[in-house]
Amino acid sequence: ELLVDVTFEVEKGPLYFIREIDVAGNTVTIDPVIRREMNLVEGQLYSARAIGLSERRIRGLGFFEEVNFEPQQTDYPDQLDLGVKVVERPTGSLSFGFGYSSQDSFVISAGLSQRNLFGRGYAGAVSVDFGGDNDRFYISFVDPYFLGSEFSLATSIYRTDVNYESFRQQATGVEFRLGHYLDEEHRTRGSIRYSYSSREVDRDTGVNAASLIFRELLQGEETASLLGLNFRRDTRDDVVAPTRGSIIGASMDGAGLGGFSKFARFEGRWIGFFRPPGWFPRWFPFRDKSTFILGARFGYTVPFNEISDYATLVPEAVSFPEGAEVQFLKDIDTDLTLPLTQRYFLGGIGTY
């Protein structure tokens, strides 16, 4: 048996300090947007770990195709200049569509979004859908470093008019979300949110309807004032075109700070991104450039409303078939106290 001894001799090199940091290639994005993601500043001791962390955080913005760090020697033996070279990528999108579906009939949709608004790292989006049965309007704005702080502020406003199989719902709402990163890599974020919404269920009260829907019809407008805590971890390799990684989220919401609805809601969400496995047919179009997405969502809501909170007096104009058994609404389905607009439905009543 032949054996060889190998000895590694490691010598500690000299320490270097960062003299200047030069950012180049950012034709749209302003320098502070890039520098605030860096884990080292001028005058700080050079650290390979800090360089790697800074590169991952800048890539995580999704604004650049390439990010490269290049240390450069100076006339001083203990100082280095650091070059940061980036290549911008498109960050905005404009979409317009026209279609037909059995649920919405004819639909016209349009959307405008920008993840790097004015080159300052703001994110904004506007989307509009007009259909024969359903209309939706949504606008949002995000400042990732609100007023120069480490906190992000997101706001959104929406208006929807959706026709479900058994009822029609009109909703208007606004939401504010204050968040903060929980790790150095900016992959994990915690946030607190407040939302206020007004919803109304509509249907011809002259036709038969379930007791739950009937109570909502008589109640009229329902409001929900909600306060929630959210957790999100994003390990995608690219925020624009991911090929691996996942998004994990959890939330805990409570409604009852004013408004009609009173409940506690717990939700969990997971989305995974995968490249095609080795056994996947090679004849499949764009096989090597495809990514599979698998998602799951679960939730549980605990209602605190009572039947007495609802309007249960049926108008005299409502008639019943001769010989039909008639009961007061307050005595029917007394275990269904969660407002209809907050319940889970097959296919989902809310957005993922």
Coordinates of all heavy atoms in Angstrom, one line a residue, residues 221-310:
E221 N -73.9 46.4 4.0 CA -72.4 46.6 4.0 C -71.8 46.0 5.3 O -72.3 46.2 6.4 CB -72.1 48.1 3.9 CG -70.6 48.4 3.9 CD -70.3 49.9 3.9 OE1 -71.2 50.7 4.3 OE2 -69.2 50.3 3.5
E222 N -70.7 45.3 5.1 CA -69.9 44.8 6.2 C -68.5 45.3 6.1 O -67.9 45.3 5.0 CB -69.9 43.2 6.1 CG -71.2 42.6 6.4 CD -71.1 41.1 6.3 OE1 -70.0 40.6 6.0 OE2 -72.1 40.4 6.5
T223 N -68.0 45.8 7.2 CA -66.6 46.3 7.2 C -65.7 45.4 8.1 O -66.2 44.7 9.0 CB -66.6 47.7 7.8 OG1 -67.2 47.7 9.1 CG2 -67.4 48.7 6.9
A224 N -64.4 45.4 7.8 CA -63.5 44.6 8.5 C -62.2 45.5 8.8 O -61.6 46.0 7.8 CB -63.1 43.3 7.8
S225 N -61.9 45.6 10.0 CA -60.7 46.3 10.4 C -59.7 45.3 11.0 O -60.0 44.7 12.0 CB -61.0 47.4 11.5 OG -59.8 48.1 11.9
L226 N -58.6 45.1 10.3 CA -57.8 43.9 10.5 C -56.3 44.3 10.9 O -55.7 45.2 10.2 CB -57.8 43.0 9.3 CG -57.1 41.6 9.4 CD1 -57.9 40.6 8.6 CD2 -55.7 41.8 8.8
L227 N -55.8 43.7 11.8 CA -54.3 43.8 12.2 C -53.7 42.5 12.1 O -54.2 41.5 12.7 CB -54.2 44.4 13.6 CG -52.8 44.8 14.1 CD1 -52.3 46.0 13.3 CD2 -52.8 45.2 15.6
G228 N -52.5 42.4 11.5 CA -51.9 41.1 11.3 C -50.4 41.1 11.4 O -49.7 42.1 11.2
L229 N -49.8 39.9 11.7 CA -48.4 39.7 11.7 C -48.1 38.7 10.5 O -48.8 37.7 10.3 CB -47.9 39.1 13.0 CG -48.0 40.0 14.2 CD1 -47.7 39.2 15.5 CD2 -47.1 41.2 14.1
N230 N -47.0 39.0 9.8 CA -46.6 38.1 8.7 C -45.1 37.8 8.7 O -44.3 38.6 9.2 CB -46.9 38.9 7.4 CG -48.4 39.2 7.2 OD1 -49.1 38.4 6.6 ND2 -48.8 40.3 7.7
F231 N -44.8 36.6 8.3 CA -43.5 36.1 8.1 C -43.3 35.5 6.7 O -44.2 34.8 6.2 CB -43.2 35.0 9.2 CG -41.9 34.2 8.9 CD1 -40.7 34.7 9.4 CD2 -41.9 33.0 8.2 CE1 -39.6 34.0 9.2 CE2 -40.8 32.3 8.0 CZ -39.6 32.8 8.5
R232 N -42.1 35.8 6.1 CA -41.9 35.4 4.7 C -40.4 35.1 4.6 O -39.6 35.9 5.0 CB -42.3 36.4 3.7 CG -42.0 36.1 2.3 CD -42.4 37.3 1.4 NE -41.8 37.2 0.1 CZ -42.5 36.9 -1.0 NH1 -43.7 36.5 -0.9 NH2 -41.9 36.8 -2.2
R233 N -40.1 33.9 4.0 CA -38.7 33.6 3.7 C -38.6 33.2 2.2 O -39.4 32.3 1.7 CB -38.2 32.4 4.5 CG -36.7 32.0 4.2 CD -36.1 31.2 5.3 NE -34.8 30.8 4.9 CZ -33.7 31.5 4.9 NH1 -33.7 32.8 5.3 NH2 -32.5 31.0 4.5
D234 N -37.7 33.9 1.5 CA -37.6 33.7 0.0 C -36.1 33.2 -0.3 O -35.2 33.9 0.0 CB -37.8 35.1 -0.6 CG -37.9 34.9 -2.2 OD1 -37.4 33.9 -2.7 OD2 -38.4 35.9 -2.8
T235 N -36.0 32.0 -0.8 CA -34.7 31.4 -1.1 C -34.5 31.2 -2.6 O -33.7 30.4 -3.0 CB -34.5 30.1 -0.4 OG1 -35.5 29.2 -0.7 CG2 -34.6 30.3 1.2
R236 N -35.3 31.9 -3.4 CA -35.2 31.8 -4.9 C -33.8 32.3 -5.3 O -33.2 33.2 -4.7 CB -36.3 32.6 -5.6 CG -37.7 32.1 -5.4 CD -38.7 33.0 -6.1 NE -38.7 34.3 -5.4 CZ -39.4 35.3 -5.8 NH1 -40.1 35.2 -6.9 NH2 -39.4 36.4 -5.1
D237 N -33.3 31.6 -6.3 CA -32.0 32.0 -6.9 C -32.1 33.3 -7.7 O -31.1 33.9 -8.0 CB -31.4 30.9 -7.7 CG -32.2 30.4 -8.8 OD1 -33.4 30.7 -8.8 OD2 -31.7 29.7 -9.7
D238 N -33.3 33.6 -8.2 CA -33.5 34.8 -9.0 C -35.0 35.2 -8.8 O -35.9 34.4 -8.9 CB -33.2 34.6 -10.4 CG -33.2 35.8 -11.3 OD1 -34.3 36.4 -11.5 OD2 -32.1 36.3 -11.7
V239 N -35.2 36.5 -8.5 CA -36.6 36.9 -8.2 C -37.4 37.1 -9.5 O -38.6 37.1 -9.4 CB -36.6 38.2 -7.4 CG1 -35.9 38.1 -6.0 CG2 -35.9 39.4 -8.2
V240 N -36.7 37.2 -10.6 CA -37.4 37.4 -11.9 C -37.7 36.1 -12.6 O -38.8 35.8 -13.0 CB -36.7 38.3 -12.8 CG1 -37.4 38.5 -14.1 CG2 -36.5 39.7 -12.1
A241 N -36.6 35.2 -12.7 CA -36.8 34.0 -13.4 C -36.1 32.9 -12.6 O -35.0 32.4 -12.9 CB -36.1 34.0 -14.8
P242 N -36.7 32.5 -11.5 CA -36.1 31.5 -10.6 C -36.1 30.1 -11.2 O -37.0 29.7 -12.0 CB -37.0 31.5 -9.4 CG -38.4 32.0 -9.9 CD -38.1 32.9 -11.0
T243 N -35.1 29.3 -10.9 CA -35.0 27.9 -11.3 C -34.9 27.0 -10.1 O -35.1 25.8 -10.3 CB -33.7 27.7 -12.1 OG1 -32.5 28.1 -11.4 CG2 -33.7 28.6 -13.4
R244 N -34.7 27.5 -8.9 CA -34.8 26.7 -7.7 C -35.0 27.6 -6.5 O -34.9 28.8 -6.6 CB -33.4 25.9 -7.5 CG -32.2 26.8 -7.4 CD -31.0 26.0 -7.2 NE -29.8 26.8 -7.0 CZ -29.0 27.3 -8.0 NH1 -29.4 27.0 -9.2 NH2 -28.0 28.0 -7.7
G245 N -35.3 27.0 -5.4 CA -35.6 27.7 -4.2 C -37.1 27.7 -3.9 O -37.9 26.9 -4.5
S246 N -37.5 28.4 -2.9 CA -38.9 28.4 -2.4 C -39.2 29.7 -1.7 O -38.4 30.5 -1.4 CB -39.1 27.2 -1.5 OG -38.3 27.4 -0.3
I247 N -40.5 29.9 -1.6 CA -41.1 31.0 -0.8 C -42.0 30.4 0.3 O -42.9 29.6 0.0 CB -41.9 32.0 -1.6 CG1 -41.0 32.5 -2.8 CG2 -42.5 33.1 -0.8 CD1 -41.8 33.4 -3.7
I248 N -41.7 30.7 1.5 CA -42.5 30.2 2.7 C -43.1 31.4 3.4 O -42.3 32.3 3.7 CB -41.6 29.3 3.6 CG1 -41.0 28.1 2.9 CG2 -42.4 28.9 4.8 CD1 -40.0 27.3 3.7
G249 N -44.3 31.3 3.7 CA -45.0 32.4 4.4 C -46.0 31.9 5.4 O -46.5 30.8 5.3
A250 N -46.1 32.7 6.5 CA -47.1 32.4 7.5 C -47.7 33.7 8.0 O -47.0 34.8 8.1 CB -46.4 31.7 8.7
S251 N -48.9 33.7 8.4 CA -49.6 35.0 8.8 C -50.6 34.7 9.9 O -51.1 33.6 10.0 CB -50.3 35.7 7.7 OG -51.3 34.9 7.2
M252 N -50.8 35.6 10.8 CA -51.7 35.6 11.9 C -52.5 36.9 11.9 O -51.9 38.0 12.1 CB -51.1 35.3 13.2 CG -52.0 35.2 14.4 SD -51.2 34.7 15.9 CE -50.0 36.1 16.1
D253 N -53.8 36.9 11.6 CA -54.6 38.1 11.5 C -55.7 38.1 12.6 O -56.2 37.0 12.9 CB -55.2 38.3 10.1 CG -54.1 38.3 9.0 OD1 -53.1 38.9 9.3 OD2 -54.4 37.7 7.9
G254 N -56.0 39.3 13.0 CA -57.2 39.4 13.9 C -58.0 40.6 13.5 O -57.5 41.7 13.3
A255 N -59.3 40.4 13.3 CA -60.3 41.5 13.0 C -61.2 41.7 14.1 O -61.7 40.8 14.8 CB -61.0 41.1 11.7
G256 N -61.5 43.0 14.3 CA -62.4 43.3 15.4 C -62.1 44.7 16.0 O -62.7 45.1 17.0
L257 N -61.0 45.3 15.5 CA -60.7 46.7 16.0 C -61.6 47.7 15.3 O -61.2 48.5 14.5 CB -59.2 47.0 15.6 CG -58.2 46.0 16.2 CD1 -56.8 46.3 15.7 CD2 -58.2 46.0 17.7
G258 N -62.9 47.6 15.6 CA -63.9 48.4 14.9 C -64.4 47.5 13.7 O -63.8 46.5 13.4
G259 N -65.4 48.0 13.0 CA -65.9 47.2 11.9 C -66.8 46.1 12.4 O -67.0 45.8 13.6
F260 N -67.5 45.5 11.4 CA -68.5 44.4 11.7 C -67.8 43.1 12.0 O -68.2 42.4 12.9 CB -69.5 44.3 10.6 CG -70.4 43.2 10.7 CD1 -71.6 43.3 11.5 CD2 -70.2 42.0 10.0 CE1 -72.5 42.3 11.6 CE2 -71.1 40.9 10.2 CZ -72.2 41.1 11.0
S261 N -66.9 42.7 11.1 CA -66.3 41.3 11.2 C -65.4 41.2 12.4 O -64.6 42.1 12.7 CB -65.5 41.0 9.9 OG -66.3 41.1 8.8
K262 N -65.5 40.0 13.0 CA -64.7 39.7 14.2 C -64.2 38.2 14.0 O -65.0 37.3 14.0 CB -65.5 39.8 15.5 CG -66.0 41.2 15.7 CD -66.8 41.3 17.0 CE -67.4 42.7 17.3 NZ -68.4 43.1 16.3
F263 N -62.9 38.0 13.9 CA -62.4 36.7 13.7 C -60.9 36.7 13.9 O -60.2 37.8 13.9 CB -62.7 36.2 12.3 CG -62.2 37.0 11.2 CD1 -60.9 36.8 10.7 CD2 -62.9 38.0 10.6 CE1 -60.4 37.5 9.7 CE2 -62.4 38.8 9.5 CZ -61.1 38.5 9.1
A264 N -60.3 35.5 14.0 CA -58.9 35.3 14.0 C -58.6 34.3 12.9 O -59.3 33.3 12.7 CB -58.4 34.8 15.4
R265 N -57.5 34.6 12.1 CA -57.2 33.8 11.0 C -55.7 33.4 11.0 O -54.9 34.3 11.2 CB -57.6 34.5 9.7 CG -57.3 33.7 8.4 CD -57.9 34.4 7.2 NE -57.4 35.7 7.0 CZ -58.1 36.7 6.5 NH1 -59.4 36.4 6.0 NH2 -57.6 37.9 6.3
F266 N -55.4 32.2 10.7 CA -54.1 31.7 10.6 C -53.9 31.0 9.2 O -54.7 30.2 8.8 CB -53.8 30.6 11.7 CG -54.2 31.1 13.1 CD1 -55.4 30.9 13.6 CD2 -53.2 31.8 13.9 CE1 -55.8 31.4 14.9 CE2 -53.6 32.2 15.1 CZ -54.8 32.0 15.6
E267 N -52.8 31.4 8.6 CA -52.5 30.9 7.2 C -51.1 30.5 7.1 O -50.2 31.1 7.7 CB -52.9 31.9 6.1 CG -54.4 32.0 5.9 CD -54.7 32.7 4.6 OE1 -53.8 33.1 3.9 OE2 -55.9 32.9 4.3
G268 N -50.8 29.5 6.2 CA -49.5 29.1 5.8 C -49.4 28.9 4.3 O -50.4 28.5 3.7
R269 N -48.3 29.3 3.7 CA -48.2 29.2 2.3 C -46.8 28.7 1.9 O -45.8 29.0 2.6 CB -48.4 30.6 1.6 CG -49.8 31.2 1.9 CD -49.8 32.6 1.5 NE -51.2 33.2 1.8 CZ -51.5 34.4 1.8 NH1 -50.5 35.3 1.4 NH2 -52.7 34.9 2.0
W270 N -46.7 28.0 0.8 CA -45.4 27.5 0.3 C -45.5 27.4 -1.2 O -46.4 26.9 -1.8 CB -45.1 26.1 0.9 CG -43.9 25.5 0.3 CD1 -42.6 25.7 0.7 CD2 -43.8 24.5 -0.8 NE1 -41.7 25.0 -0.1 CE2 -42.5 24.2 -1.0 CE3 -44.8 23.9 -1.6 CZ2 -42.1 23.3 -2.0 CZ3 -44.4 23.0 -2.5 CH2 -43.1 22.7 -2.7
I271 N -44.4 27.9 -1.8 CA -44.2 27.8 -3.3 C -42.8 27.3 -3.6 O -41.9 27.9 -3.1 CB -44.5 29.1 -4.0 CG1 -45.8 29.7 -3.7 CG2 -44.3 28.9 -5.5 CD1 -46.1 31.1 -4.3
G272 N -42.7 26.2 -4.3 CA -41.4 25.6 -4.6 C -41.1 25.7 -6.1 O -42.0 25.6 -7.0
F273 N -39.8 26.0 -6.5 CA -39.4 26.1 -7.9 C -38.4 25.0 -8.2 O -37.4 24.8 -7.4 CB -38.8 27.5 -8.1 CG -39.7 28.6 -7.8 CD1 -39.8 29.1 -6.5 CD2 -40.5 29.2 -8.8 CE1 -40.7 30.2 -6.3 CE2 -41.3 30.2 -8.6 CZ -41.5 30.7 -7.3
F274 N -38.6 24.2 -9.3 CA -37.8 23.1 -9.6 C -37.4 23.1 -11.0 O -38.3 23.4 -11.9 CB -38.5 21.8 -9.2 CG -39.1 21.8 -7.8 CD1 -40.4 22.2 -7.6 CD2 -38.3 21.4 -6.7 CE1 -40.9 22.2 -6.3 CE2 -38.9 21.4 -5.5 CZ -40.2 21.8 -5.3
R275 N -36.2 22.6 -11.3 CA -35.8 22.3 -12.7 C -36.4 21.0 -13.1 O -36.6 20.1 -12.2 CB -34.3 22.4 -12.9 CG -33.7 23.7 -12.6 CD -34.2 24.8 -13.5 NE -34.1 24.5 -14.9 CZ -33.0 24.9 -15.6 NH1 -32.1 25.7 -15.0 NH2 -32.9 24.7 -16.9
P276 N -36.6 20.7 -14.4 CA -37.1 19.4 -14.8 C -36.2 18.3 -14.4 O -34.9 18.4 -14.5 CB -37.2 19.5 -16.3 CG -37.3 21.0 -16.6 CD -36.5 21.6 -15.5
P277 N -36.7 17.2 -13.8 CA -35.8 16.1 -13.4 C -35.2 15.4 -14.6 O -35.5 15.6 -15.7 CB -36.8 15.1 -12.7 CG -38.2 15.5 -13.3 CD -38.1 16.9 -13.6
G278 N -34.2 14.6 -14.3 CA -33.4 13.9 -15.4 C -34.2 13.0 -16.3 O -33.9 12.9 -17.5
W279 N -35.3 12.4 -15.7 CA -36.1 11.5 -16.5 C -37.1 12.2 -17.4 O -37.8 11.6 -18.2 CB -36.8 10.5 -15.6 CG -37.6 11.1 -14.5 CD1 -37.2 11.3 -13.2 CD2 -38.9 11.7 -14.6 NE1 -38.1 11.9 -12.5 CE2 -39.2 12.2 -13.3 CE3 -39.8 11.9 -15.6 CZ2 -40.4 12.9 -13.0 CZ3 -41.0 12.5 -15.3 CH2 -41.3 13.0 -14.0
F280 N -37.1 13.5 -17.3 CA -38.1 14.3 -18.1 C -37.8 14.2 -19.6 O -36.6 14.3 -19.9 CB -38.2 15.7 -17.6 CG -39.5 16.4 -17.9 CD1 -40.6 16.2 -17.2 CD2 -39.5 17.4 -19.0 CE1 -41.8 16.8 -17.5 CE2 -40.7 18.0 -19.3 CZ -41.8 17.8 -18.5
P281 N -38.8 14.0 -20.5 CA -38.5 13.8 -21.9 C -37.7 15.0 -22.5 O -38.0 16.1 -22.3 CB -39.8 13.7 -22.5 CG -40.7 13.2 -21.4 CD -40.2 13.9 -20.2
R282 N -36.7 14.7 -23.2 CA -35.9 15.7 -23.9 C -36.6 16.4 -25.0 O -36.2 17.5 -25.5 CB -34.5 15.2 -24.3 CG -33.6 14.8 -23.1 CD -32.2 14.6 -23.6 NE -31.3 14.4 -22.5 CZ -30.8 15.4 -21.8 NH1 -31.0 16.7 -22.2 NH2 -30.0 15.2 -20.8
W283 N -37.6 15.7 -25.6 CA -38.4 16.4 -26.7 C -39.3 17.4 -26.2 O -39.9 18.2 -27.0 CB -39.1 15.3 -27.4 CG -40.0 14.4 -26.6 CD1 -39.7 13.1 -26.1 CD2 -41.3 14.7 -26.0 NE1 -40.8 12.7 -25.4 CE2 -41.7 13.6 -25.3 CE3 -42.1 15.8 -26.1 CZ2 -43.0 13.6 -24.6 CZ3 -43.3 15.8 -25.5 CH2 -43.7 14.7 -24.7
F284 N -39.5 17.6 -24.9 CA -40.4 18.6 -24.3 C -39.8 20.0 -24.7 O -38.6 20.3 -24.5 CB -40.5 18.5 -22.8 CG -41.5 19.4 -22.2 CD1 -42.9 19.0 -22.2 CD2 -41.2 20.6 -21.7 CE1 -43.8 19.8 -21.7 CE2 -42.1 21.4 -21.1 CZ -43.4 21.1 -21.1
P285 N -40.7 20.9 -25.3 CA -40.2 22.2 -25.7 C -39.6 23.0 -24.5 O -40.2 23.0 -23.4 CB -41.5 22.9 -26.2 CG -42.4 21.8 -26.6 CD -42.1 20.7 -25.6
F286 N -38.5 23.6 -24.8 CA -37.8 24.5 -23.8 C -37.5 23.7 -22.5 O -37.6 24.2 -21.4 CB -38.6 25.7 -23.5 CG -39.1 26.5 -24.7 CD1 -40.4 26.5 -25.1 CD2 -38.1 27.2 -25.4 CE1 -40.8 27.2 -26.2 CE2 -38.5 28.0 -26.5 CZ -39.8 27.9 -26.9
R287 N -37.2 22.4 -22.6 CA -36.9 21.6 -21.4 C -35.9 22.2 -20.6 O -36.0 22.3 -19.3 CB -36.6 20.2 -21.9 CG -36.2 19.2 -20.7 CD -35.6 17.9 -21.3 NE -35.3 17.0 -20.2 CZ -34.2 17.0 -19.5 NH1 -33.2 17.9 -19.9 NH2 -33.9 16.1 -18.6
D288 N -34.7 22.6 -21.1 CA -33.6 23.1 -20.3 C -33.8 24.5 -19.8 O -33.0 24.9 -19.0 CB -32.3 23.0 -21.2 CG -32.0 21.6 -21.6 OD1 -32.3 20.7 -20.9 OD2 -31.3 21.4 -22.7
K289 N -34.9 25.1 -20.3 CA -35.1 26.5 -19.8 C -36.4 26.6 -19.0 O -36.9 27.7 -18.6 CB -35.2 27.5 -21.0 CG -33.9 27.6 -21.7 CD -34.0 28.6 -22.9 CE -32.7 28.7 -23.6 NZ -32.8 29.7 -24.7
S290 N -37.0 25.4 -18.7 CA -38.3 25.4 -18.0 C -38.1 25.3 -16.5 O -37.1 24.7 -16.0 CB -39.2 24.2 -18.5 OG -39.4 24.4 -19.9
T291 N -39.1 25.8 -15.7 CA -39.1 25.7 -14.3 C -40.5 25.2 -13.8 O -41.5 25.8 -14.3 CB -38.7 27.0 -13.6 OG1 -37.4 27.4 -14.0 CG2 -38.8 26.8 -12.1
F292 N -40.5 24.2 -13.0 CA -41.8 23.7 -12.5 C -42.1 24.5 -11.2 O -41.2 24.7 -10.4 CB -41.8 22.2 -12.2 CG -41.8 21.4 -13.5 CD1 -40.6 20.9 -14.0 CD2 -43.0 21.1 -14.1 CE1 -40.6 20.2 -15.2 CE2 -43.0 20.4 -15.3 CZ -41.8 19.9 -15.8
I293 N -43.4 24.8 -11.0 CA -43.8 25.6 -9.8 C -44.9 24.8 -9.1 O -45.8 24.4 -9.7 CB -44.3 27.0 -10.1 CG1 -43.2 27.8 -10.9 CG2 -44.7 27.7 -8.9 CD1 -43.7 29.1 -11.4
L294 N -44.7 24.5 -7.8 CA -45.6 23.8 -7.0 C -46.0 24.6 -5.8 O -45.0 25.1 -5.1 CB -45.1 22.4 -6.6 CG -46.0 21.5 -5.7 CD1 -47.2 21.1 -6.6 CD2 -45.2 20.3 -5.3
G295 N -47.2 24.8 -5.5 CA -47.6 25.6 -4.4 C -48.7 25.0 -3.5 O -49.4 24.1 -4.0
A296 N -48.8 25.4 -2.3 CA -49.8 24.9 -1.3 C -50.1 26.0 -0.4 O -49.3 26.9 0.0 CB -49.2 23.7 -0.6
R297 N -51.4 26.0 0.1 CA -51.9 27.0 1.0 C -52.9 26.4 1.9 O -53.7 25.6 1.5 CB -52.5 28.2 0.2 CG -53.2 29.2 1.1 CD -54.0 30.2 0.3 NE -54.7 31.2 1.1 CZ -55.6 32.1 0.7 NH1 -55.9 32.1 -0.6 NH2 -56.2 32.9 1.5
F298 N -52.8 26.7 3.2 CA -53.7 26.2 4.2 C -54.1 27.3 5.1 O -53.3 28.2 5.4 CB -53.2 25.0 4.9 CG -52.0 25.3 5.8 CD1 -52.2 25.7 7.1 CD2 -50.7 25.1 5.3 CE1 -51.1 26.0 7.9 CE2 -49.6 25.4 6.1 CZ -49.8 25.8 7.4
G299 N -55.3 27.3 5.6 CA -55.7 28.3 6.6 C -56.8 27.9 7.5 O -57.6 26.9 7.1
Y300 N -57.0 28.6 8.6 CA -58.1 28.2 9.5 C -58.5 29.5 10.1 O -57.7 30.4 10.6 CB -57.6 27.3 10.6 CG -58.7 26.8 11.5 CD1 -59.6 25.9 11.1 CD2 -58.7 27.3 12.8 CE1 -60.6 25.5 12.0 CE2 -59.8 26.9 13.7 CZ -60.7 26.0 13.3 OH -61.7 25.6 14.1
T301 N -59.8 29.7 10.2 CA -60.4 31.0 10.7 C -61.3 30.6 11.9 O -62.2 29.7 11.8 CB -61.2 31.7 9.6 OG1 -60.3 32.0 8.5 CG2 -61.7 33.0 10.2
V302 N -61.1 31.4 13.0 CA -62.0 31.2 14.2 C -62.9 32.4 14.2 O -62.4 33.6 14.4 CB -61.1 31.1 15.4 CG1 -62.0 31.0 16.7 CG2 -60.1 30.0 15.3
P303 N -64.2 32.2 14.1 CA -65.2 33.4 14.1 C -65.5 33.8 15.6 O -65.6 33.0 16.5 CB -66.4 32.8 13.4 CG -66.4 31.3 13.7 CD -64.9 31.0 13.8
F304 N -65.7 35.1 15.7 CA -66.2 35.6 17.0 C -67.5 36.4 16.9 O -68.0 36.9 17.9 CB -65.1 36.6 17.6 CG -63.8 35.8 17.9 CD1 -62.6 36.2 17.3 CD2 -63.8 34.8 18.8 CE1 -61.4 35.5 17.6 CE2 -62.6 34.1 19.1 CZ -61.4 34.5 18.5
N305 N -68.0 36.5 15.7 CA -69.3 37.1 15.5 C -70.4 36.2 16.1 O -70.2 35.0 16.2 CB -69.6 37.4 14.1 CG -68.9 38.6 13.5 OD1 -67.9 38.6 12.8 ND2 -69.5 39.8 13.8
E306 N -71.5 36.8 16.4 CA -72.7 36.0 16.9 C -73.9 36.3 15.9 O -73.9 37.3 15.2 CB -73.0 36.4 18.3 CG -71.9 36.1 19.3 CD -72.3 36.5 20.7 OE1 -73.4 37.1 20.9 OE2 -71.5 36.3 21.6
I307 N -74.8 35.3 16.0 CA -76.0 35.5 15.1 C -76.7 36.8 15.4 O -77.2 37.5 14.5 CB -77.0 34.3 15.3 CG1 -76.3 33.0 14.8 CG2 -78.3 34.6 14.6 CD1 -76.1 33.0 13.3
S308 N -76.7 37.3 16.6 CA -77.4 38.5 17.0 C -76.7 39.7 16.3 O -77.3 40.8 16.3 CB -77.4 38.7 18.5 OG -76.1 38.7 19.0
D309 N -75.5 39.6 15.8 CA -74.8 40.7 15.1 C -75.5 41.0 13.8 O -75.3 42.1 13.2 CB -73.3 40.4 14.9 CG -72.6 40.3 16.2 OD1 -73.1 40.9 17.2 OD2 -71.5 39.6 16.3
Y310 N -76.1 40.0 13.2 CA -76.7 40.1 11.9 C -78.1 40.7 11.9 O -78.8 40.5 12.9 CB -76.7 38.8 11.1 CG -75.3 38.2 10.8 CD1 -74.6 37.5 11.8 CD2 -74.7 38.5 9.6 CE1 -73.4 37.0 11.5 CE2 -73.4 38.0 9.3 CZ -72.8 37.2 10.3 OH -71.5 36.7 10.0

